[in-house]
Each structure stands twice: as structure tokens, then as C-alpha cells.
Amino acid sequence: MWKAMFLRNVKLYFKDKAMFFTSLITPAILLVLYVTFLGNVYRDNFSAGILAVCCVTVPFCSNMLMVQDKITGARKDLLIAPLKPAVLPVSYFLATVASSLIVCLAAFGLCLGYVHAVGWFYTWGDVLRLAGDVVLLVLFGTALSSLIHFFLSTQGQISAVGTIVSAGYGFICGAYMPISGFGTGLQKVLSFLPSTYATALMRNHAMGGVLQQMQSEGVPEEVVRGIQKALDCDPEFAGKTVAAPEMYLFLCLTILLLLGCYILVHGIAERKQRLP
């Protein structure tokens, strides 16, 4: 039954041309803006920032179907059907992941094409690691949007949340401006957010080839390390540098926590609605 629900959600997403176009055009607009205004500044770094933002904002667009089912009354019809409690939330989650991955991997291809045009320093390992980051960030964005969208019930609320996330997330995660440029107090606050480490992982994998090239051309190691710190490649928590495995662990635990909360609140609401 969950497979039928999954396919139904994916088909409805791609059938809604406005929703799909909005999800697809956002990464393209961001890339054009960066190429236009920041084409000569940290190309690889900002291309990674674009991906880090898109992998979270796109799921917020893809996951609107869950709220629209409430608005149209389709959710009530689905609850009447003899479905297991986990089928509905899991189908929404998986459908959002699948739809968002299609859009984000397309944006990933655009970013690779742009970087290839201006100067290619990637290995296949870098590309695979970046692709893995895209998948992980889409899972994070889907889990976060699923929990937030659960509490929305009107078109106005969808628009408000979408606007806030699109405008604010890029700054919070350090994609538009490195967190190292913020005040000390704000840096400490942002060090508690998983978005900080999601962007750092992607930047590490995007900048790795460039930094190695700089070292091979004789740039002092101290200078390279300074660039890494300035671009948030080595984020700190409580004064200590956070290693890549720790960032992965934090992100994975956050995804599981968000997903668990989403399934829990969904199950509680379902039981209440099914009661006579």
C-alpha cells in the first residue's frame, strides 16, 4: 500500500507544473545570480553554497503536497482507507526525497558544468563525495520540511514558510556569507545547528581539489589553512575543530530525530482523527 501512496505523491508533484517549475527554477536562479555577481570570487566555494541551500529549500517546495492534501480534503479521504499508521507519513517522506533528488541532482549537474567551464580541479572521488552530500542534505531538508509542514494547513502558511526558508536559510547555513565573518556570539549559536556542518561538508569536498592545487603550486600551508578557516571548511564547536566523521554523525542523528518526531506527531494526529 505504501508503494501506491509513494507513486501517487510523486505523480501529483510532477503533475503540478507550478510546483515543479518553482522547485526547478530556484537552483537555476541562484546559479545565475552567483555567476553574474560573484563569478570572480571563490567560484568553487559559492557553487557548493548553492547546492547546500537548494538541497534544503527544494524539499520545502516538494513537500507542499502534504499541506495541499489538508487544504483539498484529500487527507481525510486517505485516513478513511484501511492504511497502517506509518504508511501515510512514510509515503510523503519518500516521495519528497525522490522528487527533490531529481531536482537537486539536476542542479548538481549545472554546478559541475559551470565549474568545468571556469576551471576543473575535481577527481571522481570528489564528485562522488559531493553527490553523497547532496543525498544527505536532501534527507535533512525533507525531514525538516516534513516536521514543519505537518503543522501547516493553509496556502498562506505555505507561502510564508517558503519565503522565510528561501530568504533566511542561505545566511544561517553560511552559504551566502561565511560564518567566520559573523560576530563571535552568532558563530557560537550557529555551531549548534546542523546546517552549519552540512554546508561545511559540501565546501570541504568542493574546495579539496583547489586547495591541493594551491599547495602543489607552492602556496604555504599556513595560507591554505587560513583560507580553509575563512571559508568555514573547518567549523569549530566549543573551540575545537569538528572533523568530517563527527559532522556526518551529527547530521545523521539530526535526520533520525526529525524523522522520528515527524512520524510520532503524525501518528498521534491520525489516531485522534480516526476516533469516532
Side-chain angles (χ1 to χ4, degrees), residues 7-264:
L7 293 175
R8 173 250 182 196
N9 293 337
V10 173
K11 288 178 180 178
L12 284 178
Y13 168 73
F14 285 103
K15 186 177 180 180
D16 189 334
K17 298 299 188 296
M19 189 187 303
F20 174 66
F21 181 75
T22 301
S23 302
L24 187 61
I25 200 64
T26 300
I29 289 175
L30 285 174
L31 182 59
V32 170
L33 289 175
Y34 274 113
V35 170
T36 303
F37 297 106
L38 296 170
N40 296 320
V41 184
Y42 306 131
R43 285 187 174 94
D44 295 346
N45 174 55
F46 286 116
S47 293
I50 292 171
L51 277 178
V53 174
C54 293
C55 291
V56 174
T57 56
V58 168
F60 271 85
C61 294
S62 304
N63 221 350
M64 288 181 183
L65 179 63
M66 182 170 65
V67 187
Q68 289 181 343
D69 278 350
K70 294 181 184 178
I71 298 172
T72 61
R75 177 183 169 83
K76 293 182 180 179
D77 296 334
L78 293 172
L79 288 176
I80 296 175
L83 300 174
K84 293 182 179 180
V87 170
L88 200 56
V90 171
S91 65
Y92 281 131
F93 180 86
L94 293 179
T96 301
V97 169
S99 302
S100 300
L101 277 177
I102 293 174
V103 176
C104 290
L105 288 175
F108 179 47
L110 289 174
C111 288
L112 288 180
Y114 170 63
V115 174
H116 184 272
V118 298
W120 184 267
F121 296 100
Y122 291 158
T123 64
W124 281 111
D126 294 331
V127 174
L128 291 176
R129 282 188 286 271
L130 281 168
D133 293 339
V134 170
V135 174
L136 186 63
L137 264 69
V138 165
L139 289 172
F140 168 66
T142 302
L144 180 62
S145 64
S146 296
L147 183 59
I148 293 176
H149 280 20
F150 174 81
F151 298 99
L152 307 182
S153 57
T154 67
Q155 193 66 44
Q157 291 173 346
I158 293 176
S159 301
V161 170
T163 301
I164 293 172
V165 172
S166 299
Y169 181 80
F171 291 98
I172 293 175
C173 73
Y176 299 156
M177 177 180 177
I179 294 175
S180 59
F182 296 164
T184 304
L186 185 55
Q187 288 185 38
K188 291 181 179 179
V189 172
L190 296 179
S191 68
F192 286 92
L193 302 181
S195 56
T196 299
Y197 305 107
T199 305
L201 280 171
M202 191 161 283
R203 277 184 172 157
N204 268 304
H205 297 149
M207 296 292 293
V210 177
L211 296 175
Q212 289 178 4
Q213 182 69 20
M214 291 174 64
Q215 286 183 319
S216 66
E217 293 181 1
V219 177
E221 186 176 350
E222 293 77 10
V223 175
V224 175
R225 288 180 179 176
I227 294 174
Q228 285 180 304
K229 185 174 182 179
L231 297 180
D232 298 336
C233 293
D234 297 320
E236 295 184 354
F237 181 82
K240 297 181 179 180
T241 301
V242 182
E246 296 170 332
M247 289 190 270
Y248 277 121
L249 178 61
F250 185 34
L251 274 173
C252 290
L253 290 177
T254 302
I255 292 170
L256 292 175
L257 177 62
L258 291 172
L259 182 57
C261 292
Y262 163 64
I263 293 177
L264 178 63

